[in-house]
Each structure stands twice: as structure tokens, then as C-alpha cells.
Amino acid sequence: MIRSSIIKNAYFTSSQNGDIKKVLKEIKCDVNFAEMKQTHSSEVKVINKKGIYDSDGIETNTQDLPLVVRVADCIPILMKSNNLISAVHAGWRGINKSIFEKSLKNHNFKNLKISIGPHAKECCYEVKEDLKQLFPYSTIELNGRYYLNLRKRIEEFCIEENIELEVSQQCTICDDNYYSYRKTGTPQRQFGIIWQ
């Protein structure tokens, strides 16, 4: 399990950590949590109680309400500013629909901290011509193949706005400690968790 070095109560799990209830008990967190029915949308919901929400981003200022994002190659993004926390699921469809930018709407940029967990990285995230056309500045070509840096827009935005950002070094495709949908088609997921 990876603990964020910039956000106090934020963690990213691996395939070794077990189900969400076990993980929440292990980190001594309330087992009542909020999560999402993720559909690669750009929907971000403000919430105040446990449940499953039709969205790819949830945020709250409620104390002791863990927010959970499930991923197996997409980017898990955890954010905190003042008393507001967010959990966001960002794959290429979500990034293209501006899920990241929409999830920032209620945050105070002056003290915003963003943590990105393990995801498919440009070392392994091979894409076809259609995604190269969609993300021309985030795609690198190597030996006639295209590889996507899915977080590039986020990193550039954070540099531009002087927002504190940390990015996990782990790639879910080449690191066997993580579930990878692209590699194995697994229905299993690891988690990003944040609470206050």
C-alpha cells in the first residue's frame, strides 16, 4: 500500500491488499464509505453520505467519510484543499471529457494538493492512431508504436497553476503487484482512498 506523502489521509492499494473493507480496517478508517459506479463520464458529484454514486468523481467536506476510487489502469486522483476532498477516476475518455478540470471547480487552488496513484504509464500504454490523434501532445512514438502519457495534461496544469502534485512511479501494466485490465482483462481493481 502506498501512503500519500502530501495528503494526510490518502492511500493507494495494490493487488496484494485485499478487498476494500479489509483495507479500511487496516488503515483504521471508518468502513462506511462512498464510491462510484464509474462509466468513464465527466460527472462529478458533491456528496455527504455513504453510497454508490453514478459518477467518475465524488467530493465531500464531510468528516470521516472515506471516498473510494477503483482502477486497473486508469488514473486514480485524490485531492484535498481546505475542508474539501475528492476522488476521481480518469481514463482516456474521462481526460478527453475534462473530468480533471471539472473536478477542480470547488477546490481552492492556493492550498490544493493532488496525488496520482499507480496507473498505465507511457512505458507500456500502447495506443492506436485514433488516440494519437486525440492526444497528439501526450503521445510518444517508439519503433513505430504509439505510447500514451495519460497524466500529461494534469502535470502541465499543476505546473502552470503552481499546485502541489505527487505522481506514483508504479505502472499497472508492467508491475505485477497491480491489476491491469489492458494486460489481463481482469474485473478486479485496486483502490484510491481519501478521508478527513
Side-chain angles (χ1 to χ4, degrees), residues 44-48 57-61 67 84-87 102-107:
V44 179
K45 292 196 170 162
V46 179
I47 62 157
N48 59 20
I58 45 178
E59 58 186 47
T60 191
N61 55 17
L67 306 182
L84 186 68
I85 57 170
S86 302
K102 289 176 182 176
S103 68
L104 295 168
K105 194 175 79 170
N106 298 316
H107 278 285

Side-chain angles (χ1 to χ4, degrees), residues 23-32 65-66 193-195:
V23 170
L24 290 171
K25 278 181 186 162
E26 192 178 312
I27 59 179
K28 297 179 177 36
C29 192
D30 196 318
V31 291
N32 293 311
L65 176 61
I193 307 155
I194 186 169
W195 76 97

Side-chain angles (χ1 to χ4, degrees), residues 8-186:
K8 186 180 170 198
N9 296 322
Y11 290 84
F12 298 101
T13 69
S14 74
S15 60
Q16 318 298 305
N17 297 123
D19 70 25
I20 188 62
K21 294 212 165 145
K22 178 177 180 254
V23 170
L24 290 171
K25 278 181 186 162
E26 192 178 312
I27 59 179
K28 297 179 177 36
C29 192
D30 196 318
V31 291
N32 293 311
F33 62 95
E35 63 177 319
M36 298 162 277
K37 187 178 176 188
Q38 300 164 183
T39 59
H40 300 280
S41 71
S42 62
E43 187 78 27
V44 179
K45 292 196 170 162
V46 179
I47 62 157
N48 59 20
K49 60 185 181 194
K50 69 176 184 171
I52 302 173
Y53 295 85
D54 284 325
S55 66
D56 282 81
I58 45 178
E59 58 186 47
T60 191
N61 55 17
T62 303
Q63 294 288 317
D64 300 318
L65 176 61
L67 306 182
V68 173
V69 54
R70 297 174 185 257
V71 290
D73 287 331
C74 291
I75 304 177
I77 308 171
L78 304 178
M79 308 185 197
K80 179 170 180 25
S81 69
N82 293 343
N83 296 320
L84 186 68
I85 57 170
S86 302
V88 180
H89 166 252
W92 70 261
R93 289 177 187 84
I95 294 285
N96 191 48
K97 293 175 190 167
S98 304
I99 181 81
F100 173 68
E101 291 80 0
K102 289 176 182 176
S103 68
L104 295 168
K105 194 175 79 170
N106 298 316
H107 278 285
N108 177 350
F109 284 19
K110 285 192 175 72
N111 58 21
L112 177 59
K113 295 172 191 245
I114 299 176
S115 187
I116 288 178
H119 60 280
K121 297 187 119 177
E122 61 276 19
C123 54
C124 301
Y125 191 1
E126 188 178 348
V127 296
K128 303 267 189 267
E129 183 72 32
D130 57 342
L131 287 196
K132 179 188 178 279
Q133 299 295 329
L134 209 53
F135 300 100
Y137 303 110
S138 303
T139 309
I140 55 171
E141 188 176 348
L142 197 60
N143 300 324
R145 296 175 178 220
Y146 304 120
Y147 296 89
L148 181 60
N149 177 347
L150 198 54
R151 70 193 177 280
K152 188 169 184 186
R153 284 188 195 174
I154 300 170
E155 290 174 322
E156 287 174 348
F157 182 88
C158 290
I159 289 166
E160 219 171 87
E161 297 293 334
N162 202 27
I163 292 167
E164 191 172 357
L165 172 71
E166 74 175 342
V167 178
S168 166
Q169 298 304 305
Q170 282 76 16
C171 169
T172 51
I173 298 175
C174 63
D175 188 330
D176 290 338
N177 290 309
Y178 294 91
Y179 298 119
S180 170
Y181 181 80
R182 287 181 73 84
K183 189 162 75 175
T184 66
T186 180

